[in-house]
Amino acid sequence: DNYINGILVGKPGTGKTTTAEALSATLGMPIYTVKSSKNTEEDTFEGMTKVSNGSFLFKSTPFLDAYENGGIIVLEEFNLADPGVMQGALGQAIEYPFILMKDGWEEVHRHPLCVIISTMNTGTQGAREPNQALTSRSPTTFIMDDPTKEDFLMILQSKGYKKHDCENVYKAYEKILDYLCNSAHSEELMMCVTLRHCIGALKLMKIGEPIKDAIYDTMIGAIAIRDLEIAQETFKDAVKPLALK
């Protein structure tokens, strides 16, 4: 009764999948990534039958391979999938009696060294409230917050970018988040701007794009996907006045 199920939750870019990969490397366990979407169906977990040259062939899946043979399964953004599908396929697979219906009919039991880590982004488009029956089966939930300023800058510099450029990009990142929170009053839009967008801005700067243009094409662009008007206001009021060189 000591199977491990856990959840990693946080905004995009905070290192949820990277943490699972680091755990895999540390423990020497194989890792299997299973991406979830609104189109996820039971055969993602149970295996699927394909037609090839007029014959029906059963094909295993990464989830089924790890479930039968052991390893770390990362259910990426598991809350994007239909809760009914997830409950139907996994209800008995991740908790006692630990049975999965392979190919929809054959009972297979969970390997004792099968670890299931579910990840979910907060505040992202298309996200559903996760199935409570499934989350209750994963009693350990780790919240992945933004790194501290020192760690954030260290991560940026570890990618090979100049300290001065990293500090300027981080300054703009902080100002944008502050504006979205206190002026635009949109915590949802704050979730759109991540560490990845800071790295994207630094990449554009490295090939010669001016810093404010690079910020506009990354962080502001991420906001524009959701709300163009607020994106333009954020750039005008929060980024343009900054002294960035």
Side-chain angles (χ1 to χ4, degrees), residues 22 43 50 83 89 122 128 138-139 150 202 211 218 232 238 245:
D43 58 11
K50 297 290 187 180
T122 54
R128 307 169 185 257
S138 301
E150 291 74 19
L202 287 165
I211 182 170
T218 53
Q232 293 171 335
K245 295 183 180 179

Side-chain angles (χ1 to χ4, degrees), residues 66-135:
Y67 194 85
E68 287 191 286
N69 303 308
I72 297 175
I73 300 173
V74 181
L75 290 177
E76 286 200 336
E77 299 189 62
F78 78 111
N79 58 312
L80 295 184
D82 184 286
V85 170
M86 297 292 282
Q87 176 64 19
L90 300 182
Q92 291 189 321
I94 63 176
E95 193 178 53
Y96 185 83
F98 303 109
I99 291 174
L100 184 70
M101 303 307 291
K102 181 177 178 178
D103 203 16
W105 64 272
E106 181 184 353
E107 288 189 1
V108 294
H109 291 266
R110 181 173 175 176
H111 191 281
L113 290 179
C114 171
V115 175
I116 299 178
I117 298 175
S118 303
T119 75
M120 61 176 286
N121 292 324
T122 54
T124 52
Q125 191 169 16
R128 307 169 185 257
E129 183 177 342
N131 184 297
Q132 291 184 357
L134 287 180
T135 55

Side-chain angles (χ1 to χ4, degrees), residues 30-42:
I31 189 167
Y32 303 79
T33 301
V34 180
K35 297 185 181 295
S36 304
S37 73
K38 65 179 181 179
N39 298 316
T40 297
E41 297 183 354
E42 284 87 348

Side-chain angles (χ1 to χ4, degrees), residues 161-170 172 197-219 244-245:
Y161 301 109
K162 296 178 182 177
K163 180 180 179 181
H164 179 72
D165 289 340
C166 293
E167 290 174 342
N168 274 331
V169 166
Y170 182 78
H197 296 102
C198 293
I199 294 173
L202 287 165
K203 286 181 179 178
L204 293 178
M205 292 163 60
K206 191 172 184 177
I207 61 174
E209 187 164 334
I211 182 170
K212 290 186 179 179
D213 291 344
I215 291 167
Y216 189 86
D217 291 336
T218 53
M219 299 184 224
L244 303 174
K245 295 183 180 179

